[in-house]
Amino acid sequence: MHPVVAEVTERIIERSRDTRADYLARIEEARRSGPGRAKLSCANFAHAFAASPDGDKVRMRDPTAPNIAIVTAYNDMLSAHQPFERFPDIIRAAAHKAHATAQVAGGVPAMCDGVTQGRPGMELSLFSRDVIAMSTAVALTHDAFDAALLLGVCDKIVPGLVIGGLAFGHLPVIFVPAGPMTSGISNKEKAHVRALYAEGKVTREELLDSEMKSYHGPGTCTFYGTANSNQMMMEMTGLHLPGSAFITPNTPLRDALTAAAPRRAVEIAQGTNAYAPMGEVVNEKSLVNAIAGLMATGGSTNHTLHILAMARAAGVILTWQDFDDLSRVTPLLARVYPNGSEDVNAFHAAGGMAFIIRQLLDAGLAHDDVTTVAGGGLRRYQTEPFLEDGRLVWREGPAVSLNRELLRPVDDPFQSEGGLRLLEGGLGRAVIKTSAVKPEHLRVEAPAIVFDDQDEVIAAFKRGELDRDFICVVRFQGPKANGMPELHSLTPTLSVLLDRGHKVALVTDGRMSGASGKVSAAIHVTPEAVDGGPLAFVRDGDVISLDAHAGTLEIKVEPAELRSRTAAGRPPPGRGYGRELFGWMRQAAGRADEGASVLFEAAA
């Protein structure tokens, strides 16, 4: 192992010793209590299977026949999840062939951040992760299952399913993805039209035509944002079947992988020699692997929140310093849009996750000695699935990149460090995505222009007030203030100003989309403004320095003077669109550097 990776891993193990031991004891108690159906009274049992086909009822009376829970995030508005409509029937049929049964235990909500960007619904987005976790627990708490298949792809859905699944960590759990949509128009063309629209140079109809040629069919959006970073993460943690992340929907190979999931769930159920409970698959080493994959691929900044929360659900305490230390030694091996010009389909064709995992393992940047749902260690995931005469097989993935403009080896990376960095200084702590930003834009010092809402920024741009060097401060966007919405709507506006030659950067206690890039953005600033963080005291004209190279975020105002100012007043909370129902979550939300969750007490 690389010495820094080894040191960070040991640091995490030691920091998490008590919380991890408590978690493992809890799932061991659940395991020792025996299979769920054996504990059901006859009336409970009859209720659980009343609507099942007669053949399933016969199987379910056999205590050796496993019953598999399906928790699905299906809806047909979210393109990435629309393919899940077909999955339960595929899973049931495959389970029957394995002398098992499968039931849809429950559904979880799945909102599309692409639909809610810049809309009131975005204020519910982050908290939907914790709602999904609780919904998963509700589904599995029927306690009639021997394993679970979790169907999810997108931004908050996979992290929420992970958190909920870990509450039942004695069960084997396999994540079943749907895959990306086929490629539409080039990302470069899409970004160009968006920039033209921001400047008023194309009509809304022209913009809509461009967007619909990009997002055009079933499957995940093909840029490398949070949804596709989720898929990378499930491979790196060993919760997918190997190589299943980026196979397109409604194809024979995708259906074969879906059918393989229940078969494998039966093989790793309790009582078998291959028993692989989720609580052992997700541990300190597999979480380090997830972070290594995030850094090597230039993945989404949202995972500096989600991985913290997922780890906490497994009794593991991670910090942003862990991310930063791993990023400093993990080279950037992939440039996928918005970090490059090609999409995830091209990434997969060039070697994809099999190549990335091989490179990280060979360089000692990831742990092989982990439990996975596929059996064996992480080396199993440097293989790719294929169909041979209709039979699903795995072969060794590419040992060399098939497109070096997109994918490179450790000894010739795009940059020597990973795609994310920690910033610290007089304005607090923040993270920045460096993989999509040109080196000359990673250090910006300029006067602040302060806003309390992203709509104010766009309005000021349209009035011609932002044609200059400045740091765009957007505050009161943290989890306690308004649910920490993504501010992706600012990307086209700030990109236009950057293209005009201005020095521009964003500083906010909110989030940016996993698809954001180009403009330096210090995000997730902690403590947030509503908690009395330094952002609440910043005024127009204060000089701010953002330096991703040095890892600093400073304000050129003496600390005593800054604190002598009156803090800015918190804007009133938004009304309508369901936001009133989430008021308790805003009050209970944890800090961004602890995962911004309502589900856990603050880590010591």
Side-chain angles (χ1 to χ4, degrees), residues 5 42-43 76 163 248 275 306 323 354 356 383 405 424 463 465 569:
V5 178
C42 292
D76 55 15
I163 294 167
T248 51
Y275 177 49
H306 298 325
F323 282 73
I356 291 287
T383 62
E405 298 300 312
E424 295 182 289
R463 292 193 300 267
E465 298 172 1

Side-chain angles (χ1 to χ4, degrees), residues 187-201:
N187 291 298
K188 182 178 180 180
E189 181 180 351
K190 177 181 68 176
H192 177 63
V193 174
R194 286 180 176 178
L196 291 176
Y197 181 75
E199 295 183 274
K201 294 180 179 178

